[in-house]
Amino acid sequence: MLFRSVTLLTIATTLSLSVFGGDNKKNPKDDPDAIGNRNVGQGVNFYSLEKEIALGKQLAQEVERQAKVVDDPVIAEYVNRVGQNLVRNSDAKVPFTIKVLDSEEVNAFALPGGFFFVNTGLILKADNEAELAGVMGHEIAHVAARHGTRNATRGQIAQIGMIAASIAIPYGWTGYAIRQGAGMAIPLGFLSFSRANEREADHLGLQYMYKAGYDPTAFVDFFEKLETLEKRKPGSVAKVFSTHPMTDDRIKAAQEEIQKDLAPRPEYVVNTSEFNDVKARIAMLHGKRKLDTNSDPGKPTLRRAPGSGTGPADTDDDGTKPKTDGDERPTLKRRDGGS
């Protein structure tokens, strides 16, 4: 009888620990310390990692034929470094190639196999490096979880040629395969993510940025800001953001995960001087483009001396622009004597 009582007590204690979490065991997918040693991306997939990389490379070449890649080494190196730091703190099993596209649209997307593009417009819209890292972490999570090829497998998509024919509005919110202002079209077939995919990418992306040292609340801050911006001024954010926005439910879920799974740290990386420098550099590139047109109201002009006309220095008295050769910008010359 005593033996039976002890046995029943042991069973009851075991059940209690299991039900109420007394064993303190955490699901590996909820544990940032398990990153890199868990089964993220597992499931039925007709694509080997090698085939996935080859596919992504082909798609990336198509993107680069249609878009302008920023060749500024300072900007390119910085964005690549931020991204590679996140990749090192992720579950990704493929190397990443990260490039910046010269586009003012708030957008970013990662292709299968680790080919990742970030628009300059996204960097300009972010207030700090942690916000940029939040978006990039989410994109890296899509690749780590192999959402593109797993979805393609489920849909029996086996040929790259079917991608262009399968253009449709995606569920994602960070910029996949939309027709942009310049008529650019990025292939879509492997990037139409379900809501479950997006939730998993939220979940994993938060962990990646946290593991890399960033404040995870910046992830929520950025998308709340975009949601507010789109409500106030529809069309100001990339179409794909409004197609499947950062809903209140997703924001709430992200906040709960931060509280439950990500232990508070005494310090987080929020911003760096490099981010500010790169953002200013991009703003100058975009500003330079605007200065090349006559639509910039802030363009400085030189006025003529009183009595010689009221037009800008590079116009005649009747307001028309004189014909000149070469550089039409006004110049100042020294007086005789070097003064």
Side-chain angles (χ1 to χ4, degrees):
M1 181 68 72
L2 178 61
F3 175 77
R4 182 180 179 185
S5 299
V6 172
T7 301
L8 290 174
L9 178 61
T10 301
I11 293 173
T13 302
T14 302
L15 289 173
S16 176
L17 289 173
S18 176
V19 172
F20 295 104
D23 56 0
N24 291 321
K25 288 185 178 180
K26 182 181 288 189
N27 185 329
K29 287 191 176 182
D30 297 334
D31 186 3
D33 292 332
I35 288 174
N37 299 304
R38 50 194 185 176
N39 294 324
V40 171
Q42 295 297 308
V44 178
N45 196 328
F46 293 164
Y47 296 81
S48 66
L49 285 176
E50 291 75 16
K51 186 176 180 180
E52 187 167 318
I53 292 171
L55 167 67
K57 183 177 182 180
Q58 183 172 349
L59 296 178
Q61 290 172 345
E62 181 64 24
V63 171
E64 293 185 38
R65 279 196 292 268
Q66 301 178 60
K68 180 181 179 182
V69 176
V70 172
D71 57 5
D72 184 306
V74 175
I75 297 172
E77 190 278 332
Y78 167 77
V79 175
N80 181 65
R81 179 155 38 88
V82 171
Q84 297 297 347
N85 183 36
L86 290 163
V87 172
R88 285 192 296 272
N89 289 282
S90 77
D91 296 288
K93 303 299 183 184
V94 296
F96 270 67
T97 300
I98 305 172
K99 296 185 179 182
V100 183
L101 298 182
D102 185 4
S103 171
E104 296 184 20
E105 192 166 41
V106 182
N107 215 356
F109 58 95
L111 298 167
F115 296 87
F116 190 179
F117 297 92
V118 178
N119 280 11
T120 52
L122 175 67
I123 301 170
L124 289 176
K125 186 59 63 178
D127 288 331
N128 51 60
E129 186 172 299
E131 290 186 354
L132 174 63
V135 178
M136 296 183 76
H138 177 95
E139 295 304 317
I140 291 167
H142 277 307
V143 176
R146 305 187 69 191
H147 286 154
T149 51
R150 286 168 64 194
N151 289 346
T153 297
R154 282 192 290 268
Q156 298 297 308
I157 301 175
Q159 296 181 1
I160 297 174
M162 294 180 65
I163 298 173
S166 64
I167 294 179
I169 298 176
Y171 287 112
W173 42 259
T174 45
Y176 301 100
I178 64 172
R179 293 188 178 278
Q180 303 186 23
M184 171 182 160
I186 303 171
L188 267 194
F190 290 84
L191 294 173
S192 297
F193 299 140
S194 68
R195 287 173 173 81
N197 291 158
E198 293 299 334
R199 279 293 303 116
E200 184 176 26
D202 289 349
H203 183 65
L204 296 175
L206 279 168
Q207 294 180 31
Y208 298 163
M209 66 182 298
Y210 171 84
K211 185 77 171 178
Y214 292 104
D215 182 357
T217 61
F219 173 89
V220 176
D221 292 342
F222 183 71
F223 287 99
E224 284 184 322
K225 177 172 63 180
L226 291 187
E227 185 179 34
T228 300
L229 177 63
E230 182 64 21
K231 288 179 179 178
R232 187 172 65 247
K233 188 179 179 182
S236 57
V237 180
K239 293 178 183 178
V240 72
F241 281 88
S242 58
T243 301
H244 190 60
M246 189 69 171
T247 61
D248 292 339
D249 287 344
R250 288 176 67 187
I251 291 173
K252 182 179 179 181
Q255 291 170 332
E256 289 177 351
E257 287 170 10
I258 291 171
Q259 294 294 322
K260 179 171 64 76
D261 299 329
L262 308 181
R265 291 178 171 173
E267 293 182 342
Y268 292 107
V269 175
V270 175
N271 202 18
T272 64
S273 59
E274 284 183 291
F275 172 83
N276 293 334
D277 292 343
V278 166
K279 186 173 180 177
R281 199 176 185 94
I282 292 172
M284 289 179 63
L285 290 176
H286 286 196
K288 181 177 184 296
R289 188 181 303 118
K290 291 178 181 178
L291 286 175
D292 289 338
T293 71
N294 293 324
S295 61
D296 184 11
K299 182 178 179 180
T301 58
L302 295 177
R303 294 290 179 177
R304 296 180 184 275
S308 62
T310 57
D314 57 351
T315 63
D316 290 333
D317 290 346
D318 61 0
T320 61
K321 183 182 285 292
K323 295 181 179 180
T324 58
D325 295 327
D327 190 354
E328 296 181 352
R329 293 175 297 177
T331 59
L332 297 178
K333 296 182 179 180
R334 293 181 180 276
R335 294 197 183 105
D336 294 338
S339 59

